Amino acid sequence: MTLQPERTFTAVRAALPPPNVSAFDAELHTITHTAAVDLTALDDFLASWWRMAVRAAADPADWQLMHEEADQLTAGARTPGPLLAQELARRRNELEI
């Protein structure tokens, strides 16, 4: 069982895979470098990145694969699959047969 990182900025950042750290830093900078820091945005930021850190730590290979597939889709090297609604409709049709 993988231990979950503490829900602190330092622990979450340390638990992220190296390619995700710069995005974490950039988003945190955007939120904190304003005249008045929006605490709700800061809470949402930490909760969101904590979930990503937990997910990445639970299965690092799957996390890496997900990023590789996203990069392929973005580059046009891979065609997207069906939309979720299309896949659910297909499965419903299979059950009716």
Side-chain angles (χ1 to χ4, degrees):
M1 181 172 96
T2 304
L3 292 177
Q4 293 184 352
E6 291 180 34
R7 201 177 283 213
T8 65
F9 295 98
T10 304
V12 168
R13 187 180 187 279
L16 290 171
N20 299 113
V21 172
S22 61
F24 175 94
D25 290 344
E27 188 176 346
L28 182 59
H29 183 272
T30 299
I31 293 169
T32 58
H33 285 77
T34 60
V37 174
D38 180 346
L39 295 180
T40 300
L42 198 56
D43 286 342
D44 292 345
F45 166 83
L46 183 57
S48 171
W49 280 98
W50 178 80
R51 286 190 301 274
M52 285 188 260
V54 168
R55 170 74 173 77
D59 191 343
D62 188 55
W63 184 256
Q64 179 62 34
L65 178 62
M66 183 264 309
H67 277 284
E68 289 170 5
E69 290 175 352
D71 290 344
Q72 291 170 1
L73 288 166
T74 301
R78 178 183 178 150
T79 57
L83 298 174
L84 178 59
Q86 294 169 326
E87 182 61 21
L88 292 174
R90 184 189 68 77
R91 290 182 183 189
R92 274 193 303 275
N93 289 338
E94 285 179 0
L95 292 173
E96 291 173 359
I97 296 175

